[in-house]
C-alpha cells in the first residue's frame, strides 16, 4: 500500500486538467485541517464512491437479466401470434365448411333414411369426429387468444421494468462520476507534503488494525485451499497490476467485486456479481477459519470485497487510481468473510 495516495494524486492532477477545466482552482485546505481530517475526508469520499459503484453493478446485473426476460417474452409472444394466426385459419376453414353444409339434412335424419344404416352410422362417426375437431379448434383459438393477451401484457410490463432499471443505472453512474470528481478535486488541492503525510497515516492505521486482529487471535491459521479456491486465487493473482475501474469485470481492469466474481467464475463456481450479494448469499465463515479463495467483506454496508490468499493477506482491486494488489487483510474495516465453495453438509 506504499505511496497509494501519491500515485492517485498524479492521476488526479492529469484528470483534473483534462476533464475538470475550466473549473476554478480549489483553494488550499485551511491550516486547521489536520492530516487525520484529510484522511477521514478521503476515506469518506472513497466509501461513498464504492457504494455508488456497487449500486451501479447491482442495477447493471438486474438490467442484464431483465433484458434477457424481455427477449424471452418477445419470442414467446411472436410464437403465440403465429399459433393464433394458425388457429384463426383453421376456424375460418371450419366456418366455411359449416356454411356450405348447412343446407343439407342433419346427421340423424340421414341415418334414419339411409338404405344402408350401418354405412350411415359409420358416416355418423366421421361426422362426430369432425364435430369434436371443430370443438378442439374453437378451444385452441380461445386459448391462443388468451395466451397472446397475457404475453403481450407481460412483455409490456417487462419493458417498463427495463426502462426503469436503465434510468436507475444512469443515476448510479452519475453518482459514481460525481464522487470521483470530488475525490480528484480534494487530491488536487493537497500539497505533496500533505499527500505524503496522509499516506503515512493511512498505512499506520492499517498496520495497527492488522496487529489488533493478530492480538485478538482473529487472524486465520494456515489452511489449505480447496481445488476451486486454489484456481480462484491463481486467477486473481494473475491480475496483479491491472487497474481498478468501476463497473469492470476484466480482463483489462476490475472493480473489487468484479475481480472476485470473475475469479470464482473461472474456477468453475459462479457467484453473485456484487459484494453485497456475495455477503448476503454465500456461506459465512469465521476469520480464523479462512482458507485461500474465501472472500473478506468490508464496511457495515458490505460495499467492498477482497480474496484471501493466505498469510493474513488478501488480493484486491482497492479503489480508483490504484491497481490490483496484495494487501493486509485489515486494509479496511472488516465486516466478515464468506466461502463460495462451502462443502459442509446441510441439515
Amino acid at each position: 500500500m506504499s505511496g497509494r495516495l501519491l500515485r492517485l494524486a498524479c492521476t488526479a492532477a492529469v484528470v483534473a486538467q483534462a476533464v475538470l477545466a475550466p473549473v476554478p482552482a480549489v483553494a488550499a485546505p485551511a491550516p486547521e485541517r489536520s492530516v487525520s481530517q484529510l484522511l477521514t475526508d478521503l476515506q469518506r469520499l472513497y466509501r461513498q464512491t464504492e457504494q455508488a459503484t456497487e449500486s451501479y453493478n447491482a442495477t447493471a446485473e438486474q438490467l442484464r437479466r431483465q433484458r434477457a426476460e424481455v427477449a424471452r417474452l418477445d419470442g414467446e409472444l411472436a410464437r403465440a401470434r403465429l399459433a393464433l394466426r394458425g388457429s384463426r385459419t383453421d376456424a375460418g376453414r371450419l366456418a366455411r365448411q359449416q356454411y356450405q353444409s348447412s343446407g343439407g339434412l342433419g346427421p340423424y335424419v340421414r341415418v334414419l333414411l339411409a338404405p344402408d344404416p350401418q354405412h350411415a352410422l359409420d358416416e355418423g362417426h366421421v361426422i362426430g369426429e369432425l364435430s369434436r375437431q371443430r370443438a378442439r379448434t374453437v378451444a385452441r383459438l380461445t386459448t391462443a387468444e388468451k395466451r397472446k393477451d397475457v404475453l403481450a401484457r407481460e412483455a409490456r410490463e417487462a419493458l417498463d421494468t427495463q426502462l426503469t432499471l436503465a434510468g436507475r443505472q444512469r443515476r448510479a453512474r452519475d453518482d459514481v462520476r460525481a464522487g470521483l470528481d470530488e475525490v480528484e478535486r480534494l487530491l488536487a488541492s493537497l500539497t505533496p507534503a500533505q499527500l505524503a503525510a496522509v499516506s503515512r497515516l493511512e498505512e499506520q492505521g492499517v498496520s495497527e488494525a492488522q496487529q489488533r486482529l493478530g492480538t485478538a487471535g482473529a487472524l486465520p491459521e494456515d489452511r489449505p485451499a480447496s481445488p476451486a479456491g486454489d484456481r480462484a486465487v491463481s486467477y486473481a493473482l494473475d491480475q496483479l497490476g491491472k487497474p481498478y475501474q468501476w463497473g469492470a469485470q476484466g480482463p483489462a481492469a476490475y472493480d473489487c467485486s468484479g475481480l472476485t466474481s470473475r475469479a470464482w467464475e473461472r474456477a468453475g463456481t459462479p457467484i453473485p456479481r456484487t459484494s453485497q450479494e456475495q455477503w448476503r448469499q454465500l456461506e459465512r465463515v469465521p476469520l480464523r477459519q479462512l482458507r485461500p479463495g474465501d472472500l473478506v467483506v468490508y464496511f457495515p454496508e458490505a460495499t467492498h470485497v477482497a480474496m484471501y490468499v493466505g498469510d493474513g493477506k488478501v488480493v484486491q482491486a482497492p479503489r480508483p487510481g490504484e491497481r490490483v494488489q496484495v494487501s493486509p487483510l485489515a486494509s479496511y474495516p472488516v465486516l466478515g468473510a464468506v466461502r463460495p465453495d462451502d462443502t459442509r453438509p446441510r441439515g
Side-chain angles (χ1 to χ4, degrees):
M1 294 183 50
S2 175
R4 293 166 58 177
L5 292 174
L6 289 174
R7 291 195 302 273
L8 185 53
C10 295
T11 302
V14 173
V15 173
Q17 292 176 6
V19 177
L20 300 179
V23 175
V26 179
E32 62 269 14
R33 293 184 72 190
S34 66
V35 172
S36 63
Q37 288 173 326
L38 290 173
L39 178 58
T40 298
D41 288 345
L42 274 171
Q43 290 175 334
R44 172 182 56 81
L45 291 174
Y46 282 130
R47 186 173 172 183
Q48 290 173 351
T49 301
E50 193 149 46
Q51 286 175 330
T53 297
E54 289 302 284
S55 176
Y56 173 89
N57 291 338
T59 305
E61 183 66 13
Q62 289 177 301
L63 185 56
R64 182 189 64 79
R65 292 195 298 265
Q66 190 63 30
R67 283 173 174 155
E69 176 68 5
V70 168
R72 183 189 68 81
L73 287 171
D74 284 347
E76 284 198 31
L77 182 57
R79 290 189 291 272
R81 284 172 172 158
L82 284 175
L84 178 58
R85 186 181 306 166
S87 296
R88 283 174 174 167
T89 300
D90 292 343
R93 183 169 55 252
L94 288 174
R96 288 192 298 274
Q97 292 173 354
Q98 180 71 24
Y99 174 77
Q100 291 167 358
S101 63
S102 61
L105 296 173
Y108 300 108
V109 176
R110 287 203 300 275
V111 170
L112 291 174
L113 299 180
D116 185 349
Q118 183 60 48
H119 179 69
L121 285 172
D122 291 341
E123 284 188 340
H125 286 299
V126 174
I127 293 170
E129 179 57 32
L130 290 173
S131 177
R132 288 189 290 274
Q133 181 182 349
R134 290 173 184 171
R136 288 194 296 269
T137 299
V138 172
R140 196 161 56 244
L141 175 61
T142 302
T143 300
E145 288 275 9
K146 291 180 178 177
R147 175 70 173 159
K148 186 267 295 181
D149 291 341
V150 168
L151 285 171
R153 183 176 65 254
E154 290 180 352
R156 287 193 300 270
E157 292 173 352
L159 183 58
D160 289 342
T161 301
Q162 178 177 314
L163 294 174
T164 299
L165 287 171
R168 189 187 304 169
Q169 185 187 40
R170 286 192 296 271
R171 290 191 294 274
R173 177 201 61 200
D174 293 343
D175 288 343
V176 174
R177 290 175 174 172
L180 290 174
D181 288 347
E182 195 170 353
V183 169
E184 289 162 358
R185 283 193 291 268
L186 177 55
L187 288 172
S189 73
L190 302 181
T191 66
Q194 287 174 318
L195 285 168
V198 169
S199 182
R200 285 194 299 271
L201 182 61
E202 183 179 36
E203 291 175 359
Q204 178 184 340
V206 170
S207 297
E208 291 173 354
Q210 188 84 354
Q211 185 175 5
R212 285 195 297 271
L213 283 179
T215 302
L219 283 178
E221 302 172 354
D222 288 336
R223 295 172 182 269
S226 67
D230 190 55
R231 291 192 297 271
V233 168
S234 294
Y235 179 87
L237 291 176
D238 284 344
Q239 313 313 304
L240 288 175
K242 293 185 178 180
Y244 177 103
Q245 179 181 325
W246 64 272
Q249 288 183 277
Y254 297 88
D255 63 18
C256 67
S257 57
L259 177 64
T260 55
S261 61
R262 183 65 73 198
W264 272 101
E265 179 185 38
R266 292 297 295 269
T269 305
I271 63 174
R273 166 66 176 93
T274 67
S275 59
Q276 292 169 330
E277 286 303 299
Q278 290 170 9
W279 172 248
R280 189 177 71 85
Q281 295 186 32
L282 301 181
E283 187 72 29
R284 298 182 186 179
V285 293
L287 287 182
R288 280 182 53 82
Q289 297 179 15
L290 279 178
R291 65 190 188 194
D294 291 344
L295 306 182
V296 182
V297 183
Y298 299 90
F299 300 113
E301 302 86 0
T303 51
H304 186 73
V305 65
M307 180 180 295
Y308 187 65
V309 295
D311 196 28
K313 298 185 184 303
V314 295
V315 58
Q316 63 172 331
R319 61 194 186 193
E322 298 191 30
R323 296 180 178 273
V324 176
Q325 59 189 251
V326 173
S327 311
L329 186 150
S331 295
Y332 300 102
V334 176
L335 175 61
V338 293
R339 177 164 294 161
D341 63 337
D342 180 74
T343 57
R344 290 178 298 175
R346 306 290 175 86

